[in-house]
Amino acid sequence: MPLYGGSSQEGLQVVDVRFDLFPAIDVLIPAFLLNVVIACLVNFFERHICRWRGSVGGIVDAPIERVWSMVSEAGRLPEWMPMVETCTHLQGVEGVSGYVRLVSGFMFPQEDGDRSWIKERLVSMDPLSFSFVYRMEASNVGLDGSVNSLKLIDYGDGSTLVDWSFEISPVEGVSEEGLIDYLGFLYKSCIKKIASAIQVSSENV
């Protein structure tokens, strides 16, 4: 752990930083620079370490290839996500890392009754392992930086296991348990809709 001691050189306040793990290190750092470093470390901790996590899963009575075709195509989101109205291409190539889409609907109730919107960026997609990861880049629901990971597993007898995990940064004034339960409820309702969405699409062919 660092030990701090204040001093000054030519009118500039500096901090004598000694690391007891590495006794040989003894550096003088301007106080303002130390504050910047600490702020960066706190931000990193909050974004990458102090995260709320949850997961849901369910069995879909359909072959894994058909489930993948449904859940991996951005344009088909409204078919199996009851709370989504539209999904619009914004940037990049669908299925390729960096692809950006805008999802809107009634995922999260707004005080003014307006629709929720979320801009998502594709982190990765692997058709061979039937998995993808999206990150929320911006939104009007307060979940910027959240990550959603979905993976399909062949469950045998023409059925598929859907494993959906998610992680979010802590939201001030909101209960961790309450938010995780709400997101779990939303995502579980989506999983339950997949089989019927596949059936409807087959009937319309």
Side-chain angles (χ1 to χ4, degrees):
M1 297 293 292
L3 304 175
Y4 308 111
S7 61
S8 63
Q9 290 183 350
E10 297 181 354
L12 176 65
Q13 183 181 7
V14 298
V15 178
D16 187 359
V17 182
R18 293 184 176 84
F19 293 83
D20 54 6
L21 293 180
F22 305 96
I25 298 179
D26 186 0
V27 295
L28 296 178
I29 300 178
F32 76 89
L33 181 58
L34 181 61
N35 290 334
V36 172
V37 172
I38 292 175
C40 291
L41 290 175
V42 170
N43 181 63
F44 177 84
F45 178 83
E46 291 179 343
R47 292 177 60 86
H48 299 281
I49 299 177
C50 185
R51 303 277 278 179
W52 295 350
R53 295 177 173 84
S55 63
V56 294
I59 306 298
V60 177
D61 188 19
I64 191 170
E65 291 81 10
R66 299 195 65 187
V67 176
W68 177 252
S69 177
M70 175 64 66
V71 303
S72 63
E73 296 180 23
R76 305 190 71 175
L77 235 57
E79 296 181 44
W80 63 283
M81 289 190 171
M83 64 287 192
V84 171
E85 287 188 328
T86 62
C87 182
T88 306
H89 299 258
L90 293 183
Q91 178 182 333
V93 179
E94 184 174 355
V96 178
S97 298
Y99 167 71
V100 180
R101 66 189 186 186
L102 180 66
V103 181
S104 63
F106 295 93
M107 298 81 76
F108 302 90
Q110 302 295 301
E111 292 183 359
D112 57 4
D114 200 3
R115 290 168 174 76
S116 306
W117 61 266
I118 298 172
K119 185 171 76 170
E120 295 183 313
R121 180 179 299 275
L122 180 63
V123 177
S124 64
M125 178 175 288
D126 183 5
L128 296 180
S129 64
F130 300 100
S131 63
F132 60 74
V133 178
Y134 270 96
R135 183 180 187 277
M136 296 184 186
E137 295 286 293
S139 71
N140 67 342
V141 300
L143 295 178
D144 299 7
S146 300
V147 177
N148 281 282
S149 305
L150 190 143
K151 181 176 178 59
L152 306 181
I153 301 172
D154 190 338
Y155 206 65
D157 297 325
S159 63
T160 303
L161 170 63
V162 180
D163 179 28
W164 191 331
S165 61
F166 53 96
E167 61 178 55
I168 61 179
S169 297
V171 180
E172 185 176 356
V174 176
S175 160
E176 176 181 357
E177 181 179 0
L179 183 54
I180 293 298
D181 286 348
Y182 179 69
L183 291 175
F185 168 77
L186 283 183
Y187 299 154
K188 189 74 172 180
S189 68
C190 295
I191 295 175
K192 291 180 178 179
K193 183 76 181 295
I194 295 175
S196 61
I198 292 175
Q199 183 177 354
V200 170
S201 67
S202 298
E203 294 172 352
N204 293 334
V205 173

